[in-house]
Structure formats: structure tokens, C-alpha cells
Amino acid sequence: STWGLLSLLSLSLIMASDAAAAGTNAGTSDNPRKLFHIFISYRVATDALLAERVCDKLQQLSIGSHSVQVRCFLDKQNLVSGEDWQEGFLNGLHSSCLFLPIISGPGLAPMKTLTSDKQDNVLLEYEKALELRERGLIEILPVLVGTYDDQRAYRRFGAWGGYSDAPSRTSPDGATVAHTLQRI
């Protein structure tokens, strides 16, 4: 349910915020000050409406003993027109406690035919979030989006197979699309 997801997110946020606050380097270039609780990652062409709804719901929540209002980084709301989008999203990602990728079959579909000479922005976000997680700077909580069939019966997310084994153009360690998705 939506409220179950929000409860899980609240718990994850409290843990991620506590971990970020406990860092001895908080506010340094190694551990930048966290301006956002959640970075919402999604494919614009397929999942924009869902991402906006999730963002709106999350930003209605308060967390912690001081009832701090949840702040989300959503590209549509936080990227500045005319500025470099890649630098903007990287700053948002570095300034967030929790990476929340919205993962759907249609959202992942472009990655099935991705070649090593092409860049996929969603994949780039995944790779950067994984790097930050390895350094202990962010937590990752994927949201897997299922589908409804013609009779409105819900089908669980099941779009994990068939991804490219070509090295990702943006991966710092030459990881394949399939390997990156496995790690997320």
C-alpha cells in the first residue's frame, strides 16, 4: 500500500539522516552537507507522473523527533533552466541521504538495446548512486513498479532480464548495464 511504502521510506530516511549526521566529515567535500532527504530517479518518458506523485506525497511527511519536513530532489523541481543538467543532478544526488529509483519495465526498456557508445541518463544516475553508496554517502531504496493487465489484475515487476552486456559508457569501472541493474 501507499502508506506502507511511505512508512518504509520514513524509516529509511531517519536511518540515512542519522548516518549522514553522524559522519565526522559532515559538510566537507568528502561528505557534503545533505540538503535533500530523497533523490527521486525515474525515466521522464514513462514514469514522470508517478515520480511527481511520489514526490508530492513524500514532501507532505515530517520525520525525526524535530518533525523536519521531507525535502525531495526531483529534476523537474530542482534543476535550474540554462544550467548544466548533469552537474545539477550530480549536485542533487551528492546532497541527498536516500536514492529512490522508480524502476518500471517501460522505464528500463531503453537499456535493453543500449550500446557502449550511447549514454543513458537513468543508468548514469544508478551508477553514480552506487558509487556514493560504496563510499557510505547515500542509501538506496528501489521502488519496483508492476503493471495491470486488461482485466485490471496487478502483475508484479518482472522486467529484470535481457539487458545489455556491453560496458556502460558512463560506468567508472566498465560495468555492464546488466551488472549495474543487479547491484541497484
Side-chain angles (χ1 to χ4, degrees):
S1 77
T2 301
W3 290 114
L5 172 63
L6 294 177
S7 296
L8 179 60
L9 281 170
S10 293
L11 178 61
S12 296
L13 279 174
I14 291 168
M15 292 178 358
S17 295
D18 289 348
T24 56
N25 303 355
T28 68
S29 61
D30 290 341
N31 191 3
R33 179 174 162 77
K34 301 296 186 175
L35 303 174
F36 301 97
H37 295 101
I38 306 171
F39 182 100
I40 300 174
S41 174
Y42 66 101
R43 183 155 321 266
V44 172
T46 58
D47 301 315
L49 182 60
L50 178 59
E52 289 173 28
R53 287 180 176 171
V54 167
C55 182
D56 289 345
K57 289 285 188 190
L58 289 171
Q59 292 187 134
Q60 293 173 18
L61 297 176
S62 297
I63 58 170
S65 58
H66 299 297
S67 294
V68 175
Q69 195 76 31
V70 171
R71 290 196 49 175
C72 295
F73 182 95
L74 186 70
D75 59 353
K76 186 176 181 179
Q77 296 176 1
N78 298 101
L79 290 179
V80 178
S81 182
E83 290 186 9
D84 181 60
W85 67 268
Q86 191 169 7
E87 183 179 329
F89 99 76
L90 285 173
N91 287 338
L93 190 55
H94 282 268
S95 299
S96 298
C97 299
L98 181 69
F99 179 70
L100 186 77
I102 295 176
I103 302 175
S104 69
L108 293 180
M111 293 184 201
K112 287 190 176 192
T113 58
L114 194 63
T115 57
S116 60
D117 62 328
K118 302 282 186 209
Q119 178 175 317
D120 184 281
N121 297 334
V122 173
L123 182 62
L124 177 61
E125 290 177 358
Y126 292 1
E127 291 166 345
K128 296 301 179 186
L130 287 165
E131 284 178 38
L132 291 174
R133 183 180 68 186
E134 287 169 7
R135 293 174 37 208
L137 298 175
I138 200 166
E139 295 297 324
I140 299 175
L141 181 65
V143 175
L144 305 179
V145 181
T147 60
Y148 286 93
D149 65 17
D150 294 341
Q151 284 75 41
R152 302 287 300 153
Y154 180 75
R155 303 279 182 237
R156 287 180 154 196
F157 176 85
W160 283 124
Y163 293 95
S164 174
D165 282 330
S168 166
R169 184 176 144 214
T170 54
S171 175
D173 58 2
T176 65
V177 173
H179 183 249
T180 298
L181 291 176
Q182 220 173 30
R183 292 173 53 215
I184 210 72

Coordinates of all heavy atoms in Angstrom, one line a residue, residues 40-90:
I40 N 14.9 11.5 -6.2 CA 13.9 10.6 -6.9 C 14.5 10.4 -8.3 O 14.6 11.4 -9.1 CB 12.5 11.1 -6.9 CG1 12.0 11.2 -5.5 CG2 11.6 10.2 -7.8 CD1 10.6 11.9 -5.3
S41 N 14.8 9.2 -8.7 CA 15.3 8.9 -10.0 C 14.2 8.2 -10.8 O 13.5 7.3 -10.3 CB 16.5 8.0 -9.9 OG 16.9 7.5 -11.2
Y42 N 14.0 8.6 -12.1 CA 12.9 8.0 -12.9 C 13.2 8.3 -14.4 O 14.0 9.2 -14.7 CB 11.6 8.6 -12.5 CG 11.4 10.0 -12.8 CD1 10.7 10.5 -13.9 CD2 12.0 11.0 -12.0 CE1 10.6 11.8 -14.2 CE2 11.9 12.3 -12.3 CZ 11.2 12.8 -13.4 OH 11.1 14.1 -13.7
R43 N 12.5 7.6 -15.3 CA 12.6 7.9 -16.7 C 11.4 8.8 -17.0 O 10.3 8.5 -16.8 CB 12.5 6.6 -17.5 CG 12.7 7.0 -19.0 CD 13.2 5.9 -19.9 NE 14.3 5.0 -19.4 CZ 15.6 5.2 -19.6 NH1 16.0 6.3 -20.2 NH2 16.4 4.3 -19.1
V44 N 11.8 10.0 -17.5 CA 10.8 11.0 -17.8 C 9.7 10.5 -18.8 O 8.5 10.7 -18.5 CB 11.5 12.3 -18.4 CG1 10.5 13.3 -18.9 CG2 12.4 12.9 -17.4
A45 N 10.1 9.8 -19.8 CA 9.1 9.4 -20.8 C 8.1 8.4 -20.3 O 7.0 8.3 -20.9 CB 9.9 8.8 -22.0
T46 N 8.4 7.7 -19.2 CA 7.5 6.6 -18.8 C 6.9 6.8 -17.4 O 5.9 6.3 -17.1 CB 8.1 5.2 -18.9 OG1 9.3 5.2 -18.1 CG2 8.4 4.9 -20.4
D47 N 7.7 7.4 -16.5 CA 7.4 7.4 -15.1 C 7.3 8.8 -14.4 O 7.3 8.9 -13.2 CB 8.4 6.6 -14.3 CG 8.5 5.1 -14.8 OD1 7.4 4.5 -15.0 OD2 9.6 4.6 -15.0
A48 N 7.2 9.8 -15.3 CA 7.1 11.2 -14.7 C 6.0 11.5 -13.8 O 6.1 12.0 -12.7 CB 7.2 12.2 -15.8
L49 N 4.8 11.0 -14.2 CA 3.6 11.3 -13.4 C 3.7 10.6 -12.0 O 3.4 11.2 -11.0 CB 2.3 10.8 -14.1 CG 1.0 11.1 -13.4 CD1 0.8 12.6 -13.1 CD2 -0.2 10.5 -14.2
L50 N 4.2 9.3 -12.0 CA 4.3 8.6 -10.8 C 5.4 9.3 -9.9 O 5.2 9.5 -8.7 CB 4.8 7.2 -11.1 CG 5.0 6.3 -9.8 CD1 3.8 6.2 -8.9 CD2 5.5 4.9 -10.3
A51 N 6.5 9.7 -10.5 CA 7.6 10.4 -9.7 C 7.1 11.6 -9.1 O 7.4 11.9 -7.9 CB 8.8 10.7 -10.6
E52 N 6.3 12.4 -9.8 CA 5.7 13.7 -9.3 C 4.8 13.4 -8.1 O 4.8 14.1 -7.1 CB 5.0 14.5 -10.3 CG 6.0 15.1 -11.3 CD 5.3 15.7 -12.5 OE1 4.2 16.2 -12.4 OE2 5.9 15.8 -13.6
R53 N 3.9 12.3 -8.2 CA 3.0 12.0 -7.2 C 3.7 11.5 -5.9 O 3.4 11.9 -4.8 CB 2.0 10.9 -7.7 CG 1.0 11.5 -8.6 CD 0.0 10.4 -9.1 NE -1.0 11.0 -9.9 CZ -1.9 10.2 -10.6 NH1 -1.8 8.9 -10.5 NH2 -2.8 10.8 -11.4
V54 N 4.8 10.7 -6.1 CA 5.5 10.2 -5.0 C 6.2 11.3 -4.3 O 6.2 11.4 -3.1 CB 6.6 9.1 -5.5 CG1 7.6 8.8 -4.4 CG2 5.9 7.8 -5.9
C55 N 6.8 12.2 -5.1 CA 7.4 13.4 -4.5 C 6.5 14.3 -3.7 O 6.8 14.7 -2.6 CB 8.1 14.3 -5.6 SG 8.9 15.7 -5.1
D56 N 5.3 14.5 -4.3 CA 4.3 15.3 -3.5 C 3.9 14.6 -2.2 O 3.8 15.3 -1.2 CB 3.0 15.5 -4.4 CG 3.2 16.4 -5.6 OD1 4.2 17.2 -5.6 OD2 2.4 16.4 -6.5
K57 N 3.7 13.3 -2.2 CA 3.3 12.6 -1.0 C 4.4 12.7 0.0 O 4.2 12.9 1.2 CB 3.0 11.1 -1.3 CG 1.7 11.0 -2.0 CD 0.5 11.2 -1.1 CE -0.8 10.8 -1.8 NZ -2.0 11.2 -1.0
L58 N 5.6 12.4 -0.4 CA 6.8 12.4 0.5 C 7.0 13.8 1.1 O 7.3 13.9 2.3 CB 8.0 11.9 -0.2 CG 8.1 10.5 -0.6 CD1 9.3 10.2 -1.5 CD2 8.1 9.6 0.6
Q59 N 6.8 14.8 0.4 CA 7.1 16.2 0.9 C 6.0 16.6 1.8 O 6.1 17.7 2.5 CB 7.3 17.2 -0.2 CG 8.6 16.9 -0.9 CD 9.1 17.9 -2.0 OE1 10.2 18.3 -2.0 NE2 8.2 18.3 -2.8
Q60 N 4.9 15.8 2.0 CA 3.9 16.1 3.0 C 4.3 15.5 4.3 O 3.6 15.8 5.3 CB 2.5 15.6 2.5 CG 2.0 16.3 1.3 CD 0.7 15.6 0.8 OE1 0.1 14.8 1.5 NE2 0.4 15.9 -0.5
L61 N 5.3 14.7 4.4 CA 5.7 14.0 5.6 C 6.7 14.8 6.4 O 7.5 15.6 5.8 CB 6.4 12.6 5.2 CG 5.5 11.6 4.5 CD1 6.4 10.4 4.2 CD2 4.3 11.2 5.4
S62 N 6.7 14.5 7.7 CA 7.7 15.1 8.6 C 8.4 13.9 9.2 O 7.8 12.8 9.5 CB 7.1 15.9 9.7 OG 6.5 17.0 9.1
I63 N 9.7 14.0 9.5 CA 10.5 12.9 10.1 C 11.3 13.4 11.3 O 11.6 14.6 11.4 CB 11.4 12.2 9.1 CG1 12.4 13.2 8.5 CG2 10.7 11.5 8.0 CD1 13.5 12.6 7.7
G64 N 11.6 12.4 12.1 CA 12.5 12.7 13.2 C 11.8 13.3 14.4 O 10.6 13.7 14.3
S65 N 12.5 13.4 15.5 CA 12.0 14.0 16.7 C 11.6 15.5 16.6 O 10.9 16.0 17.4 CB 12.9 13.7 17.9 OG 14.2 14.3 17.6
H66 N 12.3 16.2 15.6 CA 12.0 17.6 15.4 C 11.0 17.9 14.3 O 10.8 19.0 13.9 CB 13.3 18.3 15.1 CG 14.3 18.2 16.2 ND1 14.1 18.7 17.4 CD2 15.6 17.6 16.2 CE1 15.2 18.5 18.2 NE2 16.1 17.8 17.5
S67 N 10.4 16.8 13.8 CA 9.4 16.9 12.8 C 9.8 17.7 11.6 O 9.2 18.7 11.2 CB 8.0 17.5 13.3 OG 7.5 16.6 14.2
V68 N 11.0 17.3 11.0 CA 11.5 18.0 9.9 C 10.8 17.6 8.6 O 10.5 16.5 8.4 CB 13.0 17.7 9.7 CG1 13.6 18.3 8.5 CG2 13.8 18.1 11.0
Q69 N 10.4 18.6 7.8 CA 9.7 18.4 6.6 C 10.6 17.7 5.6 O 11.7 18.1 5.4 CB 9.2 19.7 6.0 CG 8.2 19.6 4.9 CD 6.8 19.3 5.5 OE1 6.5 19.7 6.6 NE2 6.0 18.6 4.7
V70 N 10.1 16.6 5.0 CA 10.9 15.9 4.0 C 11.1 16.8 2.7 O 10.2 17.4 2.2 CB 10.2 14.6 3.6 CG1 10.9 13.9 2.4 CG2 10.1 13.6 4.7
R71 N 12.4 16.8 2.3 CA 12.8 17.5 1.1 C 13.2 16.5 0.0 O 14.1 15.7 0.3 CB 13.9 18.5 1.4 CG 13.4 19.7 2.2 CD 14.4 20.8 2.2 NE 14.7 21.1 0.8 CZ 15.4 22.1 0.4 NH1 15.9 22.9 1.3 NH2 15.7 22.3 -0.9
C72 N 12.6 16.6 -1.1 CA 13.0 15.7 -2.2 C 13.7 16.5 -3.3 O 13.3 17.6 -3.6 CB 11.7 15.0 -2.8 SG 10.9 13.9 -1.7
F73 N 14.6 15.8 -4.0 CA 15.2 16.3 -5.2 C 14.5 15.6 -6.4 O 14.6 14.4 -6.5 CB 16.7 16.1 -5.3 CG 17.3 16.7 -6.5 CD1 17.9 17.9 -6.5 CD2 17.3 16.0 -7.7 CE1 18.5 18.5 -7.6 CE2 17.9 16.5 -8.9 CZ 18.5 17.8 -8.8
L74 N 13.8 16.4 -7.2 CA 13.1 15.9 -8.4 C 13.6 16.9 -9.5 O 13.4 18.1 -9.3 CB 11.6 16.0 -8.2 CG 10.8 15.3 -9.3 CD1 11.0 13.8 -9.4 CD2 9.3 15.7 -9.2
D75 N 14.1 16.3 -10.5 CA 14.7 17.2 -11.6 C 13.8 18.3 -12.0 O 14.2 19.5 -12.1 CB 15.2 16.4 -12.8 CG 14.1 15.6 -13.4 OD1 13.0 15.5 -12.9 OD2 14.4 14.9 -14.5
K76 N 12.6 18.0 -12.2 CA 11.6 19.0 -12.7 C 11.5 20.2 -11.7 O 11.2 21.3 -12.2 CB 10.2 18.3 -12.9 CG 9.2 19.2 -13.5 CD 7.9 18.4 -13.7 CE 6.9 19.2 -14.4 NZ 5.6 18.5 -14.6
Q77 N 11.6 19.9 -10.5 CA 11.5 21.0 -9.5 C 12.8 21.7 -9.1 O 12.8 22.8 -8.6 CB 10.9 20.4 -8.2 CG 9.5 19.9 -8.3 CD 9.0 19.3 -7.1 OE1 9.6 19.2 -6.0 NE2 7.7 18.8 -7.1
N78 N 13.9 20.9 -9.3 CA 15.2 21.4 -8.7 C 16.3 21.8 -9.7 O 17.2 22.5 -9.3 CB 15.8 20.4 -7.7 CG 14.8 20.2 -6.6 OD1 14.1 19.2 -6.5 ND2 14.8 21.1 -5.6
L79 N 16.2 21.3 -10.9 CA 17.2 21.7 -11.9 C 16.9 23.1 -12.4 O 15.8 23.5 -12.6 CB 17.3 20.7 -13.1 CG 17.8 19.3 -12.8 CD1 17.8 18.5 -14.1 CD2 19.2 19.4 -12.2
V80 N 18.0 23.9 -12.6 CA 17.8 25.3 -13.0 C 18.0 25.4 -14.5 O 18.9 24.9 -15.1 CB 18.9 26.2 -12.3 CG1 18.8 27.6 -12.7 CG2 18.8 26.1 -10.8
S81 N 16.9 26.0 -15.1 CA 16.9 26.1 -16.6 C 18.2 26.9 -17.0 O 18.5 27.9 -16.4 CB 15.7 26.9 -17.0 OG 15.6 27.0 -18.4
G82 N 18.8 26.4 -18.1 CA 20.0 27.1 -18.6 C 21.3 26.6 -18.0 O 22.4 26.9 -18.5
E83 N 21.3 25.9 -16.8 CA 22.5 25.4 -16.2 C 22.7 23.9 -16.7 O 21.8 23.3 -17.1 CB 22.4 25.5 -14.7 CG 22.4 26.9 -14.2 CD 22.5 26.9 -12.7 OE1 22.6 25.9 -12.0 OE2 22.4 28.1 -12.1
D84 N 23.9 23.5 -16.6 CA 24.3 22.1 -17.0 C 23.5 21.1 -16.2 O 23.6 21.0 -15.0 CB 25.8 21.9 -16.8 CG 26.2 20.5 -17.2 OD1 26.0 20.2 -18.4 OD2 26.7 19.7 -16.4
W85 N 22.6 20.3 -16.9 CA 21.7 19.4 -16.2 C 22.5 18.3 -15.5 O 22.2 17.9 -14.4 CB 20.7 18.8 -17.2 CG 21.4 17.9 -18.2 CD1 21.8 18.2 -19.4 CD2 21.7 16.5 -18.0 NE1 22.4 17.1 -20.0 CE2 22.3 16.0 -19.2 CE3 21.5 15.6 -17.0 CZ2 22.8 14.7 -19.3 CZ3 22.0 14.3 -17.1 CH2 22.6 13.9 -18.3
Q86 N 23.6 17.8 -16.1 CA 24.4 16.7 -15.5 C 25.0 17.2 -14.1 O 25.0 16.5 -13.1 CB 25.4 16.2 -16.4 CG 26.1 14.9 -15.9 CD 26.9 14.3 -16.9 OE1 27.2 14.8 -18.0 NE2 27.4 13.1 -16.6
E87 N 25.6 18.4 -14.1 CA 26.1 19.0 -12.9 C 25.0 19.2 -11.9 O 25.2 18.9 -10.7 CB 26.8 20.3 -13.2 CG 27.5 20.9 -12.0 CD 28.2 22.2 -12.3 OE1 28.7 22.4 -13.5 OE2 28.3 23.0 -11.4
G88 N 23.9 19.6 -12.3 CA 22.7 19.9 -11.4 C 22.3 18.6 -10.7 O 22.0 18.6 -9.5
F89 N 22.1 17.5 -11.5 CA 21.6 16.3 -10.9 C 22.7 15.7 -10.0 O 22.4 15.1 -9.0 CB 21.0 15.3 -11.9 CG 21.9 14.2 -12.4 CD1 22.2 13.1 -11.6 CD2 22.5 14.2 -13.7 CE1 23.0 12.1 -12.0 CE2 23.3 13.2 -14.1 CZ 23.6 12.1 -13.3
L90 N 24.0 15.8 -10.4 CA 25.0 15.2 -9.6 C 25.1 16.0 -8.2 O 25.3 15.3 -7.2 CB 26.4 15.3 -10.3 CG 26.6 14.3 -11.4 CD1 27.9 14.6 -12.2 CD2 26.6 12.9 -10.9

